[in-house]
Amino acid sequence: MVSEVRLASLPVVLSDYLWKTSHKFCSSGSDPFADAFGGNDDQIQDGLIHIRIQQRNGRKTLTTVQGLSSEYDLKKIVKACKKEFACNGTVVEHPEYGEVIQLQGDQRENICKFLVKCTLASAEQLKVHGF
């Protein structure tokens, strides 16, 4: 009973925190997902969040999330995901894609539900890749 309450309140607390830290960007009417490449107007971003799975060795896999807005604190998102999915994760810097979230295991469905539940992304913005 206690764990259900704690898990149920987690997305609300996270979305409240993210709103408090990024409301100045959203109040101007601009879309926080419009440019995931860091403010370069020359590049056109499709506004999608790409969720991919990468095979490691044997049955081991990595789930990567690329395209989240840089206004969000990705380390806090990873911390919440690690608790909810019972997996390990980190934020890595990719030379082409910027900051990318990596989670251990096949977490594609879980991360999709989590991002929609926390209102970080709509279902139309999510693009799931993999086998």
Side-chain angles (χ1 to χ4, degrees):
M1 182 70 177
V2 174
S3 63
E4 291 177 15
V5 172
R6 204 175 329 162
L7 285 178
S9 64
L10 178 67
V12 174
V13 171
L14 181 64
S15 65
D16 286 345
Y17 171 78
L18 293 172
W19 181 82
K20 289 177 185 175
T21 58
S22 66
H23 73 279
K24 61 183 172 228
F25 299 106
C26 296
S27 64
S28 65
S30 65
D31 184 14
F33 294 103
D35 191 8
F37 292 111
N40 192 354
D41 293 335
D42 298 328
Q43 297 174 341
I44 299 173
Q45 174 65 15
D46 55 3
L48 293 177
I49 297 172
H50 297 277
I51 300 171
R52 296 181 175 89
I53 188 166
Q54 295 177 349
Q55 188 72 36
R56 287 178 48 215
N57 46 356
R59 294 177 53 197
K60 308 281 184 186
T61 58
L62 273 180
T63 303
T64 61
V65 181
Q66 176 258 324
L68 283 172
S69 177
S70 61
E71 284 92 26
Y72 296 131
D73 190 356
L74 297 183
K75 291 184 180 181
K76 296 234 183 231
I77 294 173
V78 168
K79 186 175 180 180
C81 289
K82 286 167 59 172
K83 284 186 178 183
E84 188 160 329
F85 308 151
C87 69
N88 200 6
T90 186
V91 177
V92 295
E93 183 66 33
H94 191 274
E96 184 179 347
Y97 302 125
E99 289 187 320
V100 177
I101 294 176
Q102 284 186 346
L103 298 170
Q104 285 185 350
D106 187 2
Q107 306 294 338
R108 290 176 291 177
E109 291 181 20
N110 293 337
I111 195 70
C112 287
K113 292 176 187 174
F114 181 80
L115 292 173
V116 171
K117 186 168 56 172
C118 291
T119 65
L120 295 174
S122 64
E124 295 82 33
Q125 289 177 306
L126 299 177
K127 175 87 172 149
V128 180
H129 305 274
F131 31 79

